[in-house]
Amino acid sequence: MTKPCLPPRSVTSAPHWKAPAGSTDCHFHINGPYDRYPLSPGRFYSPPEATVPDYQAMARTIGIERMVIVQPSTFGTDNRCTLDAVELLGRDNTRAVVVVDDGVDERVLAEMHERGARGVRFNAVSGNGTPLAQLEALAARVTGLGWHIQFYTNGDQIADLAPVIRKLPVTVVLDHMAGVQGDRGVASPEFQATVGLMQSGQAYVKLSGYRSSVKGYPYDDVAPIARGYIEAAPDRCVWGTDWPHPSLFGDTHMPDDGELFDLLGAWAPSDELRRKILVDNPARLYGFAP
């Protein structure tokens, strides 16, 4: 039996600063409707439906114009919901990161590319996806498409993976602050390994407001990590809401995406940094028009 997780907030607060034109949410999920897109039996949690109109209401509030949908573990390798959501949101301003295994057909990869896919996700935290043993094979398969490999890992895995990542023929993207936790911080081997990958030009890190927090809301312990990444490699940072904030249970605080956007504003206080993180870096990584 899987655990039911909390729904996103029905109302998002307005942030205290204005997003630049072309701002991009580089990490969110669409769940459902489930009568059309059934959940995978291999999942470990059960999220409430969170549909395209629900997402659009939140995105309008914080000023998002471009979007990157990430295939969640709850659908396994069935990417229909994610790719159909790209169509609903519009291919010009929407991209997808999919989950496939090394048996995927070349024709299917080409079709996914046409529909907006630009990366393959390896989820070593939630599971129900592609095993890391297939990493090198899949990287070789997608390099001709110009795709990247995206990792969702615990922080202590990054230091071990860094030598493997450096040998891959593709760009990599590291979810959720590369998994570096607030109580480990910028002196940790995992943070230092991540910065090395970013400064080499091979890796991007997705800044996010709460997954790395040990203390919990208002996530103050995340700030040094986020600022450390921005200072070390501002051209290799992107940002994501992680809406609808899956795998939060019980009485856990449900993040408010307007407040998460304000956290980014505090980490990147200048207009130049904000434009890099929200507009220029995502355009380069995902192939949006300048």
Side-chain angles (χ1 to χ4, degrees), residues 9-31:
R9 290 174 178 264
S10 58
V11 177
T12 300
S13 66
H16 291 90
W17 59 284
K18 183 176 175 57
S23 287
T24 312
D25 180 355
C26 293
H27 194 108
F28 68 97
H29 314 284
I30 297 296
N31 296 322

Side-chain angles (χ1 to χ4, degrees), residues 227-266:
R227 290 179 173 135
Y229 286 141
I230 294 169
E231 181 178 353
D235 292 328
R236 290 295 179 269
C237 294
V238 296
W239 176 83
T241 57
D242 195 29
W243 187 94
H245 314 294
S247 64
L248 297 181
F249 308 99
D251 60 356
T252 304
H253 177 84
M254 175 53 62
D256 180 318
D257 294 281
E259 293 182 353
L260 296 181
F261 200 68
D262 280 337
L263 287 181
L264 174 64

Side-chain angles (χ1 to χ4, degrees), residues 191-209:
F191 178 87
Q192 296 300 321
T194 301
V195 166
L197 290 169
M198 296 169 76
Q199 291 179 335
S200 75
Q202 188 177 11
Y204 289 79
V205 164
K206 290 189 180 181
L207 306 177
S208 57

